[in-house]
Amino acid sequence: MDADVAVIGVGSMGSSAFWQLASLGANVLGFERYAPGHDKGAGHGETRIFRTAYGEGTEYVPFLQESKQLWRHLETETDTDIYSEIGRINIGEKEALKKDISGAKLYQLPYELLDAKEAAARFPQHRFEENDMIYVDPQAGFVRPELAIQSATQRAIELGAKLYCGVSVTAIEPDDAGVTIYCGEERFRVGHVVVSAGAWASKLLPQLSLPVWVERQILVWYRAKNPDVFSMEKFPIFGRETEGQRWYGFPSLDGHLVKVAFHHGGDEVDPDTIDRTTHKEDIEHLSKFIHKYIPDLDPNAVKAKVCMYTNTPDNHFIIGSVSGMPNVTMLGPMAGHGFKFAPIMGKLAAEVATELTPTMNIDMFRPDRLIRV
Ligand SMILES: Cc1cc2nc3c(=O)[nH]c(=O)nc-3n(C[C@H](O)[C@H](O)[C@H](O)COP(=O)(O)OP(=O)(O)OC[C@H]3O[C@@H](n4cnc5c(N)ncnc54)[C@H](O)[C@@H]3O)c2cc1C
């Protein structure tokens, strides 16, 4: 045996599993086709939102609470500043905010609800519609994805894990006694694998016919006309439902540029052939929103980046073991909203892979709800 466990794909989720496995004392290998923190998958672009009340389902709230503790733990272990709690506002008609409100009530999370007039006085950077309600989540914030991935990976290596960087796994063959991993001509034999290959998961496990689809997403940066009002202290993260579309943005990290993006609405793509160049038509619709709703930003985009969501049919994650496929733990795909959960989901996958009872119930993410071998 080359190791107890191998992590295939040391990206957003895999780097956390790598760290957690090494923390448990497992003998662990990691395989990553690019360098940790790269910009070809789903874990790049400066910032990822962390929320507390969760529109995707109140069941996620306990996972978020654990995740926050683990982000803080990773910061302490690596002497880094990964998570910034600067608050978030969610803008929409009252109906769109219902799930946030019920999650906050259920878990007694602090929040405020403002009408458009109150919000305009507090957040003058935004132009609100008359019917807008604004949900303020003071315990939300953002994670720095590249730093998070690199820190977790580095910490795992310090704890004894071995990383094969720039190495693509071409196939995995599980059996009752372990798993054979193929990297072209080279092969490795391990007791168990955690598959955290993100958009490439379907390619690595073709026998599962995963019902997931990869969506091209664009992140766009705009220049602030008055940078002072877009600082972390004055401009919280925002999410907004406008003209039937969800979009979101962050304060300026560099004192000049503000990142904004649509949530969904991208084309279905193959991760190996995705167009990574951004075009005028990728950006113009968002620029119109900027012009109309955040006029203190210059609507001429300064730069843009391509990223990928890997969507599931029910919008929930795929995590756990697969019936009929021994010694394989799935860690993702993460349905386009997984980054904030990386440390807790990495921890739970590490527990499953080392046959510990998971410290939280992950039934809602079980692969078998969607797939059969
Ligand atoms: C534009 C955008 C904005 C987002 N915003 C948020 C947000 O604000 N908050 C939030 O919580 N989530 C957000 N998400 C979602 C979140 O980023 C993803 O859910 C998360 O990054 C998915 O992690 P992953 O580990 O599955 O994929 P990745 O981070 O892409 O990792 C997969 C890794 O596997 C490697 N790999 C694949 N195949 C192989 C192979 N055969 N051999 C070796 N290595 C391999 C890849 O190189 C990659 O590094 C956003 C996503 C995007 C695209």
Side-chain angles (χ1 to χ4, degrees), residues 8-14 31-34 38 40-44 47-51 54 149 167-170 196-201 204 215 217-219 248 250 259 261-262 307-309 317 331-341:
I8 319 279
V10 184
S12 316
M13 312 309 294
F31 294 90
E32 171 51 53
R33 70 192 327 162
Y34 303 111
H38 66 85
K40 306 279 188 295
H44 59 279
T47 43
R48 288 289 182 272
I49 302 172
F50 186 98
R51 294 176 261 144
Y54 211 59
I149 293 169
V167 174
S168 274
V169 172
T170 42
S196 42
W200 291 268
L204 209 53
E215 183 181 3
Q217 292 289 296
I218 313 290
L219 297 164
Y248 60 94
F250 297 83
K259 187 181 90 174
F262 278 123
C307 190
M308 293 182 282
Y309 283 172
F317 310 150
L331 175 52
M334 300 302 288
H337 59 107
F339 202 96
K340 59 185 84 61
F341 297 92

Short mmCIF file of all heavy atoms in Angstrom, two decimals, residues 8-14 31-34 38 40-44 47-51 54 149 167-170 196-201 204 215 217-219 248 250 259 261-262 307-309 317 331-341, ligand 1:
data_model
loop_
_atom_site.label_atom_id
_atom_site.label_comp_id
_atom_site.label_asym_id
_atom_site.label_seq_id
_atom_site.Cartn_x
_atom_site.Cartn_y
_atom_site.Cartn_z
N ILE A 8 -8.19 12.86 -4.35
CA ILE A 8 -8.05 13.11 -5.80
C ILE A 8 -8.67 14.47 -6.09
O ILE A 8 -9.90 14.62 -6.08
CB ILE A 8 -8.77 12.03 -6.64
CG1 ILE A 8 -8.56 10.63 -6.06
CG2 ILE A 8 -8.35 12.14 -8.11
CD1 ILE A 8 -7.29 9.96 -6.40
N GLY A 9 -7.83 15.44 -6.35
CA GLY A 9 -8.29 16.82 -6.58
C GLY A 9 -8.11 17.63 -5.30
O GLY A 9 -8.95 17.59 -4.40
N VAL A 10 -6.96 18.33 -5.21
CA VAL A 10 -6.69 19.13 -3.99
C VAL A 10 -7.06 20.58 -4.31
O VAL A 10 -6.21 21.46 -4.44
CB VAL A 10 -5.22 18.93 -3.54
CG1 VAL A 10 -4.95 19.67 -2.23
CG2 VAL A 10 -4.93 17.44 -3.34
N GLY A 11 -8.38 20.78 -4.48
CA GLY A 11 -8.91 22.12 -4.76
C GLY A 11 -9.62 22.65 -3.53
O GLY A 11 -9.13 22.47 -2.40
N SER A 12 -10.78 23.27 -3.74
CA SER A 12 -11.50 23.89 -2.62
C SER A 12 -11.82 22.88 -1.52
O SER A 12 -11.53 23.10 -0.35
CB SER A 12 -12.81 24.50 -3.11
OG SER A 12 -12.64 25.19 -4.30
N MET A 13 -12.43 21.78 -1.89
CA MET A 13 -12.86 20.79 -0.90
C MET A 13 -11.73 19.82 -0.55
O MET A 13 -11.51 19.48 0.60
CB MET A 13 -14.07 19.99 -1.42
CG MET A 13 -15.17 20.82 -2.01
SD MET A 13 -15.74 22.19 -0.97
CE MET A 13 -16.44 21.30 0.38
N GLY A 14 -11.02 19.40 -1.60
CA GLY A 14 -9.96 18.41 -1.40
C GLY A 14 -8.86 18.90 -0.48
O GLY A 14 -8.31 18.12 0.32
N PHE A 31 -3.49 14.20 -4.95
CA PHE A 31 -3.18 14.33 -6.39
C PHE A 31 -3.89 15.56 -6.91
O PHE A 31 -5.12 15.68 -6.78
CB PHE A 31 -3.67 13.10 -7.15
CG PHE A 31 -2.92 11.85 -6.79
CD1 PHE A 31 -3.37 11.03 -5.76
CD2 PHE A 31 -1.76 11.49 -7.47
CE1 PHE A 31 -2.68 9.88 -5.40
CE2 PHE A 31 -1.06 10.34 -7.11
CZ PHE A 31 -1.52 9.53 -6.08
N GLU A 32 -3.13 16.48 -7.49
CA GLU A 32 -3.72 17.71 -8.02
C GLU A 32 -3.08 18.02 -9.37
O GLU A 32 -1.87 18.13 -9.48
CB GLU A 32 -3.51 18.88 -7.03
CG GLU A 32 -3.90 20.24 -7.55
CD GLU A 32 -5.30 20.33 -8.16
OE1 GLU A 32 -6.28 19.95 -7.50
OE2 GLU A 32 -5.40 20.79 -9.33
N ARG A 33 -3.94 18.15 -10.39
CA ARG A 33 -3.41 18.33 -11.76
C ARG A 33 -2.77 19.70 -11.97
O ARG A 33 -1.94 19.87 -12.85
CB ARG A 33 -4.52 18.09 -12.78
CG ARG A 33 -5.53 19.19 -12.76
CD ARG A 33 -6.80 18.93 -13.52
NE ARG A 33 -6.63 18.11 -14.70
CZ ARG A 33 -7.64 17.48 -15.31
NH1 ARG A 33 -8.84 17.56 -14.80
NH2 ARG A 33 -7.44 16.80 -16.40
N TYR A 34 -3.20 20.72 -11.23
CA TYR A 34 -2.58 22.05 -11.31
C TYR A 34 -1.92 22.36 -9.96
O TYR A 34 -1.81 21.48 -9.12
CB TYR A 34 -3.62 23.11 -11.65
CG TYR A 34 -4.39 22.85 -12.93
CD1 TYR A 34 -5.74 22.52 -12.89
CD2 TYR A 34 -3.78 22.92 -14.17
CE1 TYR A 34 -6.46 22.26 -14.05
CE2 TYR A 34 -4.49 22.67 -15.34
CZ TYR A 34 -5.82 22.34 -15.27
OH TYR A 34 -6.53 22.09 -16.43
N HIS A 38 -5.01 27.38 -8.00
CA HIS A 38 -5.02 27.73 -9.43
C HIS A 38 -6.37 28.33 -9.85
O HIS A 38 -7.33 28.34 -9.06
CB HIS A 38 -4.72 26.47 -10.27
CG HIS A 38 -5.81 25.43 -10.17
ND1 HIS A 38 -6.93 25.44 -10.95
CD2 HIS A 38 -5.93 24.34 -9.36
CE1 HIS A 38 -7.70 24.41 -10.64
NE2 HIS A 38 -7.12 23.73 -9.66
N LYS A 40 -8.26 27.38 -12.66
CA LYS A 40 -8.91 26.60 -13.73
C LYS A 40 -10.16 25.84 -13.26
O LYS A 40 -10.83 25.18 -14.05
CB LYS A 40 -7.92 25.56 -14.30
CG LYS A 40 -6.59 26.11 -14.76
CD LYS A 40 -6.73 26.70 -16.15
CE LYS A 40 -5.40 27.10 -16.75
NZ LYS A 40 -4.75 28.21 -16.00
N GLY A 41 -10.44 25.87 -11.96
CA GLY A 41 -11.56 25.10 -11.42
C GLY A 41 -12.64 26.01 -10.87
O GLY A 41 -13.16 26.88 -11.58
N ALA A 42 -12.95 25.83 -9.57
CA ALA A 42 -14.03 26.60 -8.95
C ALA A 42 -13.56 27.39 -7.74
O ALA A 42 -14.37 28.03 -7.07
CB ALA A 42 -15.16 25.66 -8.55
N GLY A 43 -12.27 27.37 -7.45
CA GLY A 43 -11.81 27.96 -6.18
C GLY A 43 -10.92 29.17 -6.35
O GLY A 43 -9.91 29.29 -5.66
N HIS A 44 -11.29 30.10 -7.23
CA HIS A 44 -10.43 31.28 -7.44
C HIS A 44 -11.29 32.53 -7.60
O HIS A 44 -12.50 32.46 -7.74
CB HIS A 44 -9.56 31.08 -8.69
CG HIS A 44 -10.39 30.87 -9.93
ND1 HIS A 44 -10.92 29.65 -10.23
CD2 HIS A 44 -10.78 31.72 -10.90
CE1 HIS A 44 -11.60 29.75 -11.37
NE2 HIS A 44 -11.54 31.00 -11.80
N THR A 47 -12.54 36.14 -3.54
CA THR A 47 -13.49 36.10 -2.41
C THR A 47 -14.58 35.05 -2.63
O THR A 47 -14.99 34.78 -3.76
CB THR A 47 -14.19 37.48 -2.27
OG1 THR A 47 -14.55 37.94 -3.57
CG2 THR A 47 -13.30 38.49 -1.59
N ARG A 48 -15.06 34.48 -1.53
CA ARG A 48 -16.24 33.62 -1.53
C ARG A 48 -17.12 34.04 -0.35
O ARG A 48 -16.61 34.25 0.75
CB ARG A 48 -15.86 32.14 -1.34
CG ARG A 48 -15.20 31.49 -2.54
CD ARG A 48 -16.22 31.30 -3.67
NE ARG A 48 -15.66 30.65 -4.84
CZ ARG A 48 -15.06 31.26 -5.86
NH1 ARG A 48 -14.88 32.57 -5.83
NH2 ARG A 48 -14.63 30.59 -6.90
N ILE A 49 -18.42 34.12 -0.59
CA ILE A 49 -19.35 34.55 0.46
C ILE A 49 -19.49 33.48 1.53
O ILE A 49 -19.61 32.29 1.22
CB ILE A 49 -20.74 34.85 -0.12
CG1 ILE A 49 -20.66 35.93 -1.20
CG2 ILE A 49 -21.72 35.28 0.99
CD1 ILE A 49 -21.97 36.16 -1.96
N PHE A 50 -19.50 33.93 2.77
CA PHE A 50 -19.89 33.08 3.89
C PHE A 50 -21.15 33.70 4.48
O PHE A 50 -21.17 34.88 4.82
CB PHE A 50 -18.78 33.03 4.96
CG PHE A 50 -19.09 32.06 6.05
CD1 PHE A 50 -18.54 30.80 6.04
CD2 PHE A 50 -19.96 32.40 7.07
CE1 PHE A 50 -18.85 29.88 7.02
CE2 PHE A 50 -20.29 31.48 8.06
CZ PHE A 50 -19.73 30.21 8.03
N ARG A 51 -22.22 32.90 4.57
CA ARG A 51 -23.47 33.41 5.15
C ARG A 51 -23.83 32.62 6.39
O ARG A 51 -23.28 31.53 6.60
CB ARG A 51 -24.62 33.26 4.14
CG ARG A 51 -24.45 34.09 2.93
CD ARG A 51 -25.57 33.81 1.94
NE ARG A 51 -25.18 32.89 0.90
CZ ARG A 51 -25.98 31.98 0.37
NH1 ARG A 51 -27.22 31.84 0.81
NH2 ARG A 51 -25.56 31.21 -0.60
N TYR A 54 -29.45 30.54 5.88
CA TYR A 54 -29.10 30.01 4.56
C TYR A 54 -30.33 29.79 3.69
O TYR A 54 -31.14 28.89 3.96
CB TYR A 54 -28.32 28.70 4.76
CG TYR A 54 -27.31 28.47 3.67
CD1 TYR A 54 -26.29 29.38 3.43
CD2 TYR A 54 -27.37 27.35 2.85
CE1 TYR A 54 -25.36 29.18 2.43
CE2 TYR A 54 -26.44 27.13 1.84
CZ TYR A 54 -25.44 28.06 1.63
OH TYR A 54 -24.52 27.87 0.63
N ILE A 149 -7.12 27.51 0.22
CA ILE A 149 -6.70 26.24 -0.40
C ILE A 149 -5.20 26.01 -0.16
O ILE A 149 -4.76 24.92 0.25
CB ILE A 149 -7.02 26.25 -1.91
CG1 ILE A 149 -8.53 26.25 -2.13
CG2 ILE A 149 -6.35 25.06 -2.63
CD1 ILE A 149 -8.98 26.51 -3.56
N VAL A 167 -0.09 16.55 -11.29
CA VAL A 167 -0.29 15.14 -11.69
C VAL A 167 -1.79 14.89 -11.87
O VAL A 167 -2.58 15.10 -10.95
CB VAL A 167 0.28 14.18 -10.62
CG1 VAL A 167 -0.04 12.73 -10.97
CG2 VAL A 167 1.78 14.38 -10.47
N SER A 168 -2.17 14.41 -13.06
CA SER A 168 -3.58 14.09 -13.32
C SER A 168 -3.84 12.62 -13.06
O SER A 168 -3.11 11.76 -13.57
CB SER A 168 -3.92 14.34 -14.79
OG SER A 168 -4.26 15.66 -14.97
N VAL A 169 -4.86 12.34 -12.30
CA VAL A 169 -5.30 10.94 -12.14
C VAL A 169 -6.12 10.60 -13.38
O VAL A 169 -7.06 11.32 -13.72
CB VAL A 169 -6.13 10.78 -10.85
CG1 VAL A 169 -6.75 9.40 -10.77
CG2 VAL A 169 -5.26 11.07 -9.63
N THR A 170 -5.76 9.51 -14.04
CA THR A 170 -6.48 9.18 -15.27
C THR A 170 -7.60 8.17 -15.03
O THR A 170 -8.57 8.13 -15.79
CB THR A 170 -5.50 8.66 -16.35
OG1 THR A 170 -4.57 7.77 -15.72
CG2 THR A 170 -4.72 9.80 -16.97
N SER A 196 -12.55 14.43 -4.88
CA SER A 196 -12.96 15.84 -4.77
C SER A 196 -12.49 16.56 -6.03
O SER A 196 -11.74 17.52 -5.97
CB SER A 196 -12.33 16.47 -3.51
OG SER A 196 -10.99 16.06 -3.36
N ALA A 197 -12.94 16.04 -7.16
CA ALA A 197 -12.45 16.52 -8.47
C ALA A 197 -13.35 17.59 -9.06
O ALA A 197 -13.14 18.02 -10.20
CB ALA A 197 -12.32 15.34 -9.42
N GLY A 198 -14.34 18.08 -8.30
CA GLY A 198 -15.17 19.20 -8.76
C GLY A 198 -15.82 18.93 -10.10
O GLY A 198 -16.49 17.91 -10.31
N ALA A 199 -15.58 19.83 -11.05
CA ALA A 199 -16.21 19.74 -12.37
C ALA A 199 -15.77 18.49 -13.15
O ALA A 199 -16.42 18.12 -14.13
CB ALA A 199 -15.88 21.00 -13.16
N TRP A 200 -14.68 17.89 -12.70
CA TRP A 200 -14.16 16.71 -13.41
C TRP A 200 -14.64 15.40 -12.77
O TRP A 200 -14.22 14.32 -13.20
CB TRP A 200 -12.64 16.74 -13.46
CG TRP A 200 -12.07 17.81 -14.33
CD1 TRP A 200 -11.75 17.69 -15.66
CD2 TRP A 200 -11.74 19.15 -13.97
NE1 TRP A 200 -11.25 18.88 -16.13
CE2 TRP A 200 -11.24 19.80 -15.12
CE3 TRP A 200 -11.83 19.88 -12.79
CZ2 TRP A 200 -10.82 21.13 -15.11
CZ3 TRP A 200 -11.43 21.21 -12.78
CH2 TRP A 200 -10.93 21.81 -13.92
N ALA A 201 -15.47 15.46 -11.74
CA ALA A 201 -15.87 14.24 -11.01
C ALA A 201 -16.52 13.21 -11.95
O ALA A 201 -16.24 12.01 -11.86
CB ALA A 201 -16.83 14.61 -9.88
N LEU A 204 -13.97 11.26 -13.86
CA LEU A 204 -13.17 10.33 -13.07
C LEU A 204 -13.99 9.11 -12.67
O LEU A 204 -13.43 8.03 -12.46
CB LEU A 204 -12.69 11.07 -11.81
CG LEU A 204 -11.40 10.63 -11.19
CD1 LEU A 204 -10.27 10.60 -12.20
CD2 LEU A 204 -11.04 11.60 -10.07
N GLU A 215 -21.52 24.52 -15.30
CA GLU A 215 -22.03 25.79 -15.82
C GLU A 215 -20.93 26.85 -15.80
O GLU A 215 -20.27 27.06 -14.78
CB GLU A 215 -23.21 26.23 -14.92
CG GLU A 215 -23.89 27.49 -15.37
CD GLU A 215 -25.03 27.90 -14.42
OE1 GLU A 215 -25.25 27.24 -13.39
OE2 GLU A 215 -25.68 28.92 -14.72
N GLN A 217 -19.39 30.37 -15.44
CA GLN A 217 -19.76 31.55 -14.66
C GLN A 217 -18.69 32.62 -14.83
O GLN A 217 -17.50 32.30 -14.97
CB GLN A 217 -19.85 31.20 -13.17
CG GLN A 217 -20.98 30.28 -12.81
CD GLN A 217 -22.33 30.97 -12.91
OE1 GLN A 217 -22.62 31.91 -12.18
NE2 GLN A 217 -23.16 30.52 -13.84
N ILE A 218 -19.10 33.88 -14.78
CA ILE A 218 -18.16 34.98 -15.00
C ILE A 218 -18.11 35.89 -13.77
O ILE A 218 -19.15 36.30 -13.26
CB ILE A 218 -18.61 35.86 -16.20
CG1 ILE A 218 -18.99 35.01 -17.42
CG2 ILE A 218 -17.52 36.87 -16.58
CD1 ILE A 218 -17.87 34.30 -18.10
N LEU A 219 -16.90 36.19 -13.33
CA LEU A 219 -16.68 37.17 -12.25
C LEU A 219 -16.15 38.44 -12.91
O LEU A 219 -15.26 38.37 -13.75
CB LEU A 219 -15.61 36.64 -11.29
CG LEU A 219 -15.96 35.35 -10.54
CD1 LEU A 219 -14.70 34.73 -9.94
CD2 LEU A 219 -16.96 35.65 -9.44
N TYR A 248 -24.58 39.34 -7.11
CA TYR A 248 -23.97 39.59 -5.81
C TYR A 248 -22.65 40.31 -6.01
O TYR A 248 -22.11 40.36 -7.12
CB TYR A 248 -23.75 38.27 -5.04
CG TYR A 248 -22.85 37.29 -5.77
CD1 TYR A 248 -21.47 37.25 -5.51
CD2 TYR A 248 -23.36 36.42 -6.72
CE1 TYR A 248 -20.65 36.37 -6.18
CE2 TYR A 248 -22.53 35.54 -7.40
CZ TYR A 248 -21.17 35.52 -7.13
OH TYR A 248 -20.34 34.65 -7.81
N PHE A 250 -18.95 42.20 -3.71
CA PHE A 250 -18.09 42.30 -2.52
C PHE A 250 -17.54 43.71 -2.39
O PHE A 250 -17.45 44.43 -3.39
CB PHE A 250 -16.90 41.33 -2.66
CG PHE A 250 -17.29 39.89 -2.74
CD1 PHE A 250 -17.69 39.33 -3.94
CD2 PHE A 250 -17.26 39.08 -1.61
CE1 PHE A 250 -18.06 37.99 -4.02
CE2 PHE A 250 -17.62 37.75 -1.67
CZ PHE A 250 -18.01 37.21 -2.87
N LYS A 259 -15.74 43.49 -7.00
CA LYS A 259 -16.11 42.29 -7.78
C LYS A 259 -17.61 42.04 -7.70
O LYS A 259 -18.20 42.07 -6.63
CB LYS A 259 -15.37 41.06 -7.24
CG LYS A 259 -15.57 39.83 -8.10
CD LYS A 259 -14.86 38.61 -7.54
CE LYS A 259 -15.74 37.84 -6.60
NZ LYS A 259 -15.14 36.58 -6.13
N ALA A 261 -20.95 39.60 -9.70
CA ALA A 261 -21.22 38.46 -10.59
C ALA A 261 -22.69 38.09 -10.57
O ALA A 261 -23.39 38.38 -9.59
CB ALA A 261 -20.40 37.25 -10.16
N PHE A 262 -23.14 37.44 -11.64
CA PHE A 262 -24.46 36.81 -11.63
C PHE A 262 -24.35 35.46 -10.97
O PHE A 262 -23.31 34.78 -11.10
CB PHE A 262 -24.97 36.60 -13.07
CG PHE A 262 -25.59 37.82 -13.67
CD1 PHE A 262 -25.11 38.34 -14.87
CD2 PHE A 262 -26.67 38.44 -13.06
CE1 PHE A 262 -25.69 39.47 -15.42
CE2 PHE A 262 -27.25 39.57 -13.62
CZ PHE A 262 -26.76 40.08 -14.80
N CYS A 307 -15.21 30.89 -14.28
CA CYS A 307 -15.21 29.90 -13.20
C CYS A 307 -16.30 28.86 -13.53
O CYS A 307 -17.02 29.03 -14.52
CB CYS A 307 -15.51 30.64 -11.90
SG CYS A 307 -15.29 29.70 -10.39
N MET A 308 -16.41 27.82 -12.73
CA MET A 308 -17.40 26.77 -13.05
C MET A 308 -18.23 26.39 -11.82
O MET A 308 -17.66 26.10 -10.77
CB MET A 308 -16.70 25.52 -13.56
CG MET A 308 -16.03 25.68 -14.89
SD MET A 308 -15.28 24.14 -15.45
CE MET A 308 -13.79 24.06 -14.48
N TYR A 309 -19.53 26.33 -11.98
CA TYR A 309 -20.41 25.68 -11.00
C TYR A 309 -20.61 24.24 -11.47
O TYR A 309 -20.77 24.03 -12.69
CB TYR A 309 -21.81 26.32 -11.00
CG TYR A 309 -22.00 27.65 -10.33
CD1 TYR A 309 -23.22 28.32 -10.46
CD2 TYR A 309 -21.02 28.24 -9.54
CE1 TYR A 309 -23.45 29.54 -9.85
CE2 TYR A 309 -21.25 29.47 -8.92
CZ TYR A 309 -22.46 30.11 -9.08
OH TYR A 309 -22.71 31.32 -8.47
N PHE A 317 -25.36 19.18 -2.00
CA PHE A 317 -24.04 18.60 -2.24
C PHE A 317 -24.13 17.07 -2.38
O PHE A 317 -25.11 16.45 -1.97
CB PHE A 317 -23.10 18.90 -1.07
CG PHE A 317 -23.06 20.34 -0.64
CD1 PHE A 317 -22.80 20.68 0.69
CD2 PHE A 317 -23.24 21.36 -1.56
CE1 PHE A 317 -22.76 22.01 1.09
CE2 PHE A 317 -23.20 22.70 -1.16
CZ PHE A 317 -22.97 23.02 0.16
N LEU A 331 -16.61 13.68 -2.26
CA LEU A 331 -16.62 15.00 -1.59
C LEU A 331 -16.93 16.02 -2.70
O LEU A 331 -16.07 16.60 -3.31
CB LEU A 331 -15.26 15.25 -0.93
CG LEU A 331 -15.06 16.63 -0.29
CD1 LEU A 331 -16.17 16.99 0.68
CD2 LEU A 331 -13.71 16.70 0.43
N GLY A 332 -18.21 16.16 -3.00
CA GLY A 332 -18.66 16.99 -4.11
C GLY A 332 -19.13 16.10 -5.25
O GLY A 332 -19.04 14.88 -5.12
N PRO A 333 -19.64 16.71 -6.31
CA PRO A 333 -19.77 18.14 -6.58
C PRO A 333 -20.62 18.90 -5.54
O PRO A 333 -21.44 18.33 -4.85
CB PRO A 333 -20.42 18.18 -7.96
CG PRO A 333 -19.96 16.90 -8.62
CD PRO A 333 -19.96 15.90 -7.50
N MET A 334 -20.37 20.23 -5.55
CA MET A 334 -20.88 21.08 -4.47
C MET A 334 -21.95 22.08 -4.93
O MET A 334 -22.25 23.05 -4.22
CB MET A 334 -19.72 21.84 -3.82
CG MET A 334 -18.66 20.95 -3.21
SD MET A 334 -19.27 19.82 -1.93
CE MET A 334 -19.59 20.97 -0.61
N ALA A 335 -22.53 21.82 -6.10
CA ALA A 335 -23.74 22.54 -6.51
C ALA A 335 -23.60 24.07 -6.52
O ALA A 335 -24.58 24.78 -6.31
CB ALA A 335 -24.91 22.13 -5.61
N GLY A 336 -22.39 24.57 -6.73
CA GLY A 336 -22.24 26.02 -6.92
C GLY A 336 -22.36 26.87 -5.67
O GLY A 336 -22.39 28.09 -5.75
N HIS A 337 -22.41 26.23 -4.47
CA HIS A 337 -22.45 27.07 -3.26
C HIS A 337 -21.64 26.46 -2.12
O HIS A 337 -21.93 26.65 -0.94
CB HIS A 337 -23.89 27.36 -2.83
CG HIS A 337 -24.74 26.16 -2.50
ND1 HIS A 337 -25.09 25.83 -1.22
CD2 HIS A 337 -25.31 25.22 -3.29
CE1 HIS A 337 -25.86 24.75 -1.23
NE2 HIS A 337 -26.01 24.36 -2.48
N GLY A 338 -20.56 25.74 -2.47
CA GLY A 338 -19.91 24.92 -1.46
C GLY A 338 -18.72 25.50 -0.73
O GLY A 338 -18.33 24.97 0.31
N PHE A 339 -18.13 26.58 -1.26
CA PHE A 339 -16.82 26.96 -0.71
C PHE A 339 -16.86 27.22 0.80
O PHE A 339 -15.99 26.80 1.55
CB PHE A 339 -16.22 28.18 -1.43
CG PHE A 339 -14.74 28.22 -1.24
CD1 PHE A 339 -13.89 27.69 -2.20
CD2 PHE A 339 -14.17 28.69 -0.06
CE1 PHE A 339 -12.52 27.65 -1.99
CE2 PHE A 339 -12.81 28.64 0.15
CZ PHE A 339 -11.98 28.13 -0.82
N LYS A 340 -17.87 27.96 1.23
CA LYS A 340 -17.96 28.35 2.65
C LYS A 340 -17.94 27.14 3.58
O LYS A 340 -17.56 27.23 4.73
CB LYS A 340 -19.22 29.20 2.87
CG LYS A 340 -20.49 28.50 2.50
CD LYS A 340 -21.73 29.40 2.60
CE LYS A 340 -21.98 30.24 1.39
NZ LYS A 340 -22.23 29.49 0.13
N PHE A 341 -18.36 25.97 3.04
CA PHE A 341 -18.45 24.76 3.85
C PHE A 341 -17.19 23.90 3.79
O PHE A 341 -17.16 22.82 4.38
CB PHE A 341 -19.60 23.87 3.35
CG PHE A 341 -20.95 24.49 3.46
CD1 PHE A 341 -21.50 25.21 2.40
CD2 PHE A 341 -21.71 24.35 4.62
CE1 PHE A 341 -22.76 25.75 2.49
CE2 PHE A 341 -22.97 24.90 4.72
CZ PHE A 341 -23.50 25.60 3.65
C1 LIG B 1 -17.88 32.17 -9.86
C2 LIG B 1 -18.12 31.34 -8.63
C3 LIG B 1 -18.50 31.97 -7.46
C4 LIG B 1 -18.76 31.22 -6.31
N1 LIG B 1 -19.11 31.86 -5.18
C5 LIG B 1 -19.28 31.16 -4.03
C6 LIG B 1 -19.48 31.84 -2.82
O1 LIG B 1 -19.52 33.08 -2.78
N2 LIG B 1 -19.61 31.10 -1.69
C7 LIG B 1 -19.55 29.74 -1.70
O2 LIG B 1 -19.68 29.13 -0.64
N3 LIG B 1 -19.35 29.08 -2.86
C8 LIG B 1 -19.21 29.75 -4.01
N4 LIG B 1 -18.95 29.10 -5.18
C9 LIG B 1 -18.95 27.65 -5.21
C10 LIG B 1 -17.65 27.07 -4.71
O3 LIG B 1 -16.56 27.87 -5.12
C11 LIG B 1 -17.56 25.65 -5.21
O4 LIG B 1 -18.68 24.92 -4.70
C12 LIG B 1 -16.29 24.98 -4.75
O5 LIG B 1 -15.17 25.74 -5.13
C13 LIG B 1 -16.20 23.59 -5.40
O6 LIG B 1 -15.04 22.99 -4.91
P1 LIG B 1 -14.45 21.66 -5.54
O7 LIG B 1 -13.36 21.24 -4.65
O8 LIG B 1 -15.58 20.72 -5.79
O9 LIG B 1 -13.88 22.10 -6.97
P2 LIG B 1 -12.45 22.72 -7.31
O10 LIG B 1 -12.08 23.78 -6.34
O11 LIG B 1 -12.48 23.07 -8.75
O12 LIG B 1 -11.47 21.51 -7.06
C14 LIG B 1 -11.41 20.38 -7.87
C15 LIG B 1 -9.94 20.08 -8.03
O13 LIG B 1 -9.75 18.79 -8.57
C16 LIG B 1 -8.65 18.84 -9.46
N5 LIG B 1 -8.79 17.69 -10.35
C17 LIG B 1 -9.87 17.39 -11.10
N6 LIG B 1 -9.69 16.24 -11.75
C18 LIG B 1 -8.46 15.80 -11.39
C19 LIG B 1 -7.71 14.66 -11.76
N7 LIG B 1 -8.21 13.75 -12.60
N8 LIG B 1 -6.46 14.50 -11.23
C20 LIG B 1 -5.95 15.43 -10.37
N9 LIG B 1 -6.63 16.54 -10.01
C21 LIG B 1 -7.87 16.71 -10.51
C22 LIG B 1 -8.82 20.19 -10.13
O14 LIG B 1 -7.63 20.63 -10.74
C23 LIG B 1 -9.25 21.05 -8.96
O15 LIG B 1 -8.16 21.64 -8.31
C24 LIG B 1 -18.65 29.82 -6.34
C25 LIG B 1 -18.23 29.18 -7.51
C26 LIG B 1 -17.95 29.94 -8.64
C27 LIG B 1 -17.51 29.24 -9.90
#
